[in-house]
Amino acid sequence: MQAYQHSPCSIRSLHLVQDGSITLRARNPTLTAHLHALPPSAWTALTVARAGGKTRKVKVHENPAATLSAYPGTVRQLAIAGLGHDEPTILITNDIDTPIKNIIEAYARRMNIEQRLAEAIRSFGLDALAGAVPLNVDHDVVLTVLAHTVCNALRRRLPGYATATPDTLQRRFLSTGGQILNRGNEITVRLDRRTYSPVLRQANLPDTEVPWWDGRTLHYEFT
């Protein structure tokens, strides 16, 4: 598959990047009014892949030779409706050959990565590491990635929280107090009752054998 390059935000430098670049185009009143005036026949229905094996139905209008005020040539412009915004999302690219569906899915994957990075910055302070010592920075990055991975695994098990951010999980679930009970071959975590305890009770939190605990089992209970 084509490895797309994330072009600079400014359309002035679009001609400086390699073929296969994609970037967002800012909506303006004139462009928005033009898209609203298009007949239904000008839009093509597509089903595109989403994260987690899901799909989304969208409508796309393609302009293969759109002009930009600060760019001497033309670009391929895709207006995509149905991505969860009130107005269509506008993508511009200098890739004229790749199918529309592939371009949208490539950009969606990139946006998913950027969202995960934003979560790591907001929830774990990835942009404010411990110090300039490389060992400390590497240690912080490893812990951040591990914490983010654990949160991602947890939210997949919580009904209705598949897209929750780590800070939301922290406030509603991870900050819950309780007791840790050593019962020989079983370590029981007994969580205190909170507003969101019913969600935890419905969650898929199976007993887990932990190898570095000499095979002891981790078990959850709710008061």
Side-chain angles (χ1 to χ4, degrees), residues 25 28-39 42-43 61-63 66 77 79 87-88 90:
R25 180 180 184 181
N28 58 60
T30 301
L31 179 57
T32 300
H34 168 71
L35 294 175
H36 282 307
L38 292 173
W43 297 84
H61 170 70
E62 179 181 13
N63 182 351
Q77 176 176 286
E87 300 293 345
I90 312 299

Side-chain angles (χ1 to χ4, degrees), residues 83-111:
L83 292 179
H85 305 288
D86 293 336
E87 300 293 345
T89 298
I90 312 299
L91 296 181
I92 53 177
T93 177
N94 51 13
D95 182 340
I96 62 174
D97 299 318
T98 300
I100 295 175
K101 182 176 184 293
N102 292 16
I103 290 179
I104 296 174
E105 291 176 350
Y107 197 83
R109 286 192 295 272
R110 180 192 304 151
M111 290 300 296

